[in-house]
């Protein structure tokens, strides 16, 4: 029996970046080949079924759903609440953001301790799938990376982060970044569009789920770990708690314990180890030690990811 994915994609050419290119590419390449039989945000939802029976739904939107969750949430739950995974296609930008990246990240408002459900295996499938398409298109100047957990809706003063967990399906932001040249790069958008169709393509490796704590927003150690394989094993990377939000969320006190517990609970299958960036302040290392002891799972410095065969993992 096939699985179901839905991708929310703004198809308006007069709003935003990247997403309308992705929509047009999906249509051009034949993935918008069926109608789902209902609308979303006033537009027809399109549907594709692959050879394995997996179903992919493409929901057109007028803006990015994160910018108006109260408006979109009822329709999201009405049509997609029983799906296996979901994603929002958009663009990435930022004053110090890396250039020429294809990014996938989990959602959450780390400061308030609200974490969206996360599926490590599907997220890994998607990242690897996008990277295969990047290589096929010879986009050698691009890299596929993950980012620290965040939610773009949190930057709106009127937003309510608790809305995130009212949609029960694991969601990822899927982006091209981080400047106008990349947003308009049709091959980059094509790699991302084609990559969506790999979210259920599983290589069968044993996935060890990690919680990553510390580091910068685009921490290379976490991104590189997604691609590491050894002896039929690999890492599952979803929620990443970056340094800046450890501070803002006061993770050094009792709030931090409760918020980290909420993060672990949001990861499908739990976690088998915690990996922390060695340059974190001592108070956050103490947090990691406390959580590791509470859950009886090992903790490791980030450098240990480079030699995964030396690691041990908790058994669940």
């Amino acid at each position: 029996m096939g699985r179901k994915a839905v991708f929310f994609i703004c198809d308006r050419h007069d709003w935003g970046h990247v997403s309308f290119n992705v929509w047009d590419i999906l249509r051009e390449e034949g993935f918008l080949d069926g109608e789902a039989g209902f609308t979303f945000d006033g537009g027809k939802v399109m549907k594709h079924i692959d050879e394995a029976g997996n179903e992919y739904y493409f929901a057109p939107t007028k803006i990015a759903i994160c910018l108006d969750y109260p408006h979109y949430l009822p329709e999201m739950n009405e049509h997609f609440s029983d799906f296996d995974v979901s994603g929002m296609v958009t663009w990435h930008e930022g004053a110090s953001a890396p250039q020429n990246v294809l990014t996938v990240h989990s959602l959450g408002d780390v400061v308030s301790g609200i974490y969206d459900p996360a599926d490590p295996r599907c997220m890994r499938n998607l990242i690897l799938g996008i990277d295969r398409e990047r290589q096929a298109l010879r986009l050698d100047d691009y890299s596929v990376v993950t980012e620290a957990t965040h939610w773009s809706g949190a930057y709106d003063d009127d937003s309510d982060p608790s809305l995130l967990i009212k949609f029960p399906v694991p969601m990822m932001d899927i982006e091209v970044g981080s400047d106008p040249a990349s947003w308009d790069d049709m091959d980059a958008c094509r790699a991302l569009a084609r990559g969506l169709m790999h979210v259920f393509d599983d290589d069968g490796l044993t996935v060890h789920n990690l919680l990553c704590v510390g580091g910068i927003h685009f921490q290379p150690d976490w991104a590189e770990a997604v691609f590491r394989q050894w002896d039929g094993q690999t890492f599952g990377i979803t929620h990443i708690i970056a340094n800046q939000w450890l501070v803002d969320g006061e993770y050094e006190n009792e709030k931090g314990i409760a918020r980290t517990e909420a993060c672990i609970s949001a990861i499908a299958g739990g976690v088998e180890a915690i990996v922390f960036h060695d340059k974190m302040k001592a108070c956050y290392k103490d947090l990691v030690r406390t959580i590791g002891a509470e859950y009886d799972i090992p903790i490791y410095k980030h450098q240990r990811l480079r030699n995964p065969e030396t690691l041990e993992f908790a058994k669940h």
Side-chain angles (χ1 to χ4, degrees):
M1 188 174 182
R3 306 179 73 190
K4 293 182 179 181
V6 57
F7 299 104
F8 302 98
I9 307 174
C10 178
D11 62 345
R12 285 175 50 190
H13 282 240
D14 60 345
W15 190 90
H17 311 282
V18 176
S19 57
F20 58 83
N21 286 334
V22 170
W23 185 274
D24 290 348
I25 289 165
L26 289 167
R27 181 176 56 221
E28 168 194 322
E29 301 205 349
F31 295 114
L32 306 184
D33 53 348
E35 295 184 10
F38 56 90
T39 63
F40 187 88
D41 202 18
K44 288 183 179 179
V45 176
M46 306 307 291
K47 176 180 177 181
H48 176 76
I49 303 176
D50 68 16
E51 293 180 356
N54 298 309
E55 300 179 10
Y56 305 82
Y57 290 70
F58 304 95
T61 65
K62 293 183 173 63
I63 60 173
I65 58 170
C66 63
L67 300 181
D68 197 353
Y69 237 60
H71 168 72
Y72 286 113
L73 191 59
E75 278 193 286
M76 291 165 66
N77 277 318
E78 177 185 357
H79 299 298
F80 308 115
S81 62
D82 62 341
F83 276 43
D84 296 286
V85 71
S86 64
M88 181 185 75
V89 174
T90 182
W91 71 95
H92 185 271
E93 63 181 316
S96 58
Q99 302 305 303
N100 291 6
V101 289
L102 302 164
T103 80
V104 180
H105 70 83
S106 57
L107 303 187
D109 183 47
V110 177
V111 173
S112 62
I114 302 294
Y115 290 90
D116 199 54
D119 186 319
R121 191 171 285 275
C122 281
M123 185 161 164
R124 177 176 177 272
N125 292 344
L126 181 59
I127 291 173
L128 267 60
I130 293 173
D131 192 58
R132 287 197 298 274
E133 298 297 347
R134 176 196 65 82
Q135 294 179 57
L137 290 165
R138 299 186 177 181
L139 291 170
D140 298 331
D141 54 341
Y142 278 80
S143 57
V144 180
V145 297
T146 188
E147 306 173 45
T149 297
H150 66 285
W151 183 46
S152 299
Y155 300 109
D156 180 350
D157 291 338
D158 296 326
S159 66
D160 177 4
S162 68
L163 293 177
L164 266 178
I165 55 178
K166 293 185 178 180
F167 182 57
V169 181
M171 182 178 289
M172 298 165 283
D173 276 4
I174 309 159
E175 307 165 343
V176 178
S178 300
D179 63 0
S182 63
W183 304 335
D184 295 335
D185 186 331
M186 292 302 291
D187 278 341
C189 293
R190 193 174 304 279
L192 188 147
R194 291 174 177 175
L196 301 180
M197 313 311 297
H198 297 302
V199 70
F200 296 130
D201 289 354
D202 199 302
D203 57 14
L205 298 186
T206 297
V207 176
H208 298 291
N209 296 347
L210 304 180
L211 172 62
C212 300
V213 183
I216 60 176
H217 188 77
F218 283 95
Q219 182 60 42
D221 301 276
W222 312 147
E224 291 165 6
V226 177
F227 295 95
R228 200 155 282 136
Q229 302 178 18
W230 74 101
D231 300 329
Q233 302 171 69
T234 188
F235 294 123
I237 309 289
T238 51
H239 285 307
I240 298 169
I241 307 177
N243 274 335
Q244 66 193 87
W245 290 308
L246 283 170
V247 176
D248 293 348
E250 300 179 1
Y251 276 67
E252 68 275 10
N253 58 35
E254 290 298 319
K255 292 179 182 177
I257 294 175
R259 289 169 177 168
T260 307
E261 290 171 342
C263 181
I264 291 174
S265 296
I267 300 172
V271 301
E272 297 178 45
I274 303 174
V275 185
F276 66 93
H277 197 276
D278 194 30
K279 292 185 178 180
M280 284 196 314
K281 291 183 177 180
C283 59
Y284 303 123
K285 292 180 181 178
D286 289 341
L287 166 70
V288 168
R289 294 187 187 101
T290 298
I291 295 295
E294 177 185 342
Y295 283 84
D296 193 24
I297 54 179
I299 61 173
Y300 297 111
K301 296 178 181 180
H302 71 278
Q303 297 95 331
R304 294 289 302 277
L305 293 175
R306 300 166 193 166
N307 302 106
E309 66 280 356
T310 67
L311 303 182
E312 295 182 357
F313 302 96
K315 304 298 181 185
H316 296 294

